[in-house]
Amino acid sequence: MRALLTHHADCNYFEHMTDTLVIYYSLEGNTDYVAKLAARKLQADIVRIEPIKAYPRKGFRKFLIGGRDAVFSVHVQLQTVLPDFSQYAKLLIGTPVWAGTMAAPMNTLLHSAKIRGKHIALFACSASGNAKKCFAKMKALLPENTIDSCVSFINPVIHAGTAVDEQIDELAFR
């Protein structure tokens, strides 16, 4: 049975049922796909962060606006009510790679959330598989934590199957 993180809108609190949280941002569905598989496998709670103003999903504007915000480390307003991170020992944090770095909503989360003393597994989804710069920036924003693994997925929705499942197994904690 998969643990769920339930947000109760009328009370503004979360029902917490595990020591592991998957928290992620996804625009086109690749990061969402990996996050949901990982949460199911680990029986983890899961939270998808969303900006108040959605990014364009296609065309030139998607690359222009998303890439600009990522490159300049823009802090966007998030509509997501964040959980109490102190309730978790382990976090899986996922983002798409935009212009070689993390997406702006993830940048906002990592700058604003007080995440300390956790075991963390990072994952990133892209078309190229080059997430080194993205992981370096994420690690720099999580200095008081133990980064146990960093896994880069290349178009996981397109390549769904055994290879993606094996990569999810690499999102391990020490």
Side-chain angles (χ1 to χ4, degrees):
M1 182 174 156
R2 183 173 81 119
L4 298 172
L5 181 68
T6 306
H7 176 245
H8 300 274
D10 57 330
C11 305
N12 201 26
Y13 75 93
F14 291 89
E15 185 177 324
H16 159 68
M17 297 165 35
T18 178
D19 76 338
T20 305
L21 173 68
V22 176
I23 188 160
Y24 69 101
Y25 170 73
S26 184
L27 180 67
E28 295 180 321
N30 284 295
T31 310
D32 181 68
Y33 177 76
V34 172
K36 287 177 178 173
L37 282 176
R40 195 172 313 123
K41 227 174 203 187
L42 296 170
Q43 295 187 337
D45 291 342
I46 186 166
V47 174
R48 180 178 179 152
I49 60 172
E50 292 290 345
I52 288 176
K53 185 176 180 188
Y55 281 93
R57 295 195 179 273
K58 53 179 134 175
F60 179 70
R61 288 175 24 96
K62 175 180 97 170
F63 295 103
L64 178 69
I65 296 168
R68 176 203 64 203
D69 287 0
V71 167
F72 292 106
S73 299
V74 171
H75 292 221
V76 298
Q77 287 186 299
L78 300 178
Q79 70 178 355
T80 308
V81 177
L82 299 177
D84 177 1
F85 290 104
S86 71
Q87 301 298 307
Y88 297 95
K90 301 177 239 175
L91 302 176
L92 272 79
I93 302 174
T95 183
V97 177
W98 290 1
T101 190
M102 71 187 109
M106 183 54 62
N107 182 51
T108 300
L109 171 77
L110 296 182
H111 270 95
S112 62
K114 293 180 179 26
I115 301 173
R116 293 181 182 87
K118 308 295 178 200
H119 281 269
I120 296 177
L122 302 174
F123 66 96
C125 299
S126 68
S128 70
N130 186 358
K132 283 185 179 181
K133 185 173 136 186
C134 176
F135 289 140
K137 285 189 173 190
M138 292 174 81
K139 287 178 184 180
L141 294 173
L142 296 162
E144 297 177 39
N145 298 281
T146 302
I147 307 299
D148 291 323
S149 60
C150 298
V151 179
S152 178
F153 293 84
I154 300 173
N155 295 324
V157 171
I158 294 171
H159 300 108
T162 306
V164 173
D165 286 342
E166 288 172 1
Q167 278 188 285
I168 288 172
D169 290 337
E170 293 175 28
L171 289 169
F173 297 104
R174 292 184 198 125

